[in-house]
């Protein structure tokens, strides 16, 4: 999905590279909060090169906390997030939630 998102929405893809998401795990004995981008590319000398290899996708809406971003990045982040989420939702088969 991340490869296709890079192809069809490079600006949104780049936003999800640059804006860290907040992930939260809370349970007895553990309280973990970490910031990481939704999409991570292989390290490289040209950090502006969005065509580097995708090495991970961090996507877990149930474990996401509030965004910790500067106000000027907030709108771009939420637009990119919604676009990626919509692409993921639309890529599921229509009967996915039927338990099959």
């Amino acid at each position: 999905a991340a490869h296709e998102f890079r192809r069809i929405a490079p600006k949104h893809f780049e936003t999800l590279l640059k804006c860290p998401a907040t992930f939260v795990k809370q349970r007895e004995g553990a309280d973990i909060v970490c910031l990481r981008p939704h999409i991570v590319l292989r390290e490289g000398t040209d950090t502006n090169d969005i065509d580097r290899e995708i090495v991970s996708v961090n996507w877990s809406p149930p474990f996401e906390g509030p965004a910790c971003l500067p106000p000027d990045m907030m709108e771009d982040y939420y637009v990119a997030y919604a676009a990626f989420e919509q692409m993921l939702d639309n890529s599921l088969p229509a009967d996915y939630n039927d338990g099959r």
Side-chain angles (χ1 to χ4, degrees):
H3 292 278
E4 181 67 6
F5 193 61
R6 174 171 46 194
R7 187 184 70 75
I8 65 173
K11 185 171 178 134
H12 293 328
F13 179 87
E14 187 171 9
T15 297
L16 295 184
L17 292 174
K18 293 182 177 181
C19 294
T22 305
F23 293 93
V24 178
K25 177 80 173 199
Q26 294 177 318
R27 62 179 177 174
E28 188 175 328
D31 188 11
I32 302 166
V33 176
C34 65
L35 300 175
R36 60 181 53 155
H38 286 291
I39 302 170
V40 179
L41 302 180
R42 175 141 336 265
E43 295 288 326
T45 55
D46 182 1
T47 57
N48 292 318
D49 177 12
I50 68 167
D51 292 322
R52 290 175 284 141
E53 178 186 4
I54 297 168
V55 294
S56 68
V57 175
N58 301 300
W59 192 263
S60 187
F63 295 102
E64 289 177 27
C68 297
L69 297 168
D72 64 320
M73 296 176 80
M74 207 61 87
E75 184 176 352
D76 288 347
Y77 171 75
Y78 282 117
V79 169
Y81 183 99
F84 191 60
E85 183 174 47
Q86 182 177 8
M87 193 190 93
L88 291 174
D89 289 347
N90 290 340
S91 68
L92 294 174
D95 61 354
Y96 179 76
N97 288 323
D98 290 345
R100 293 183 226 177

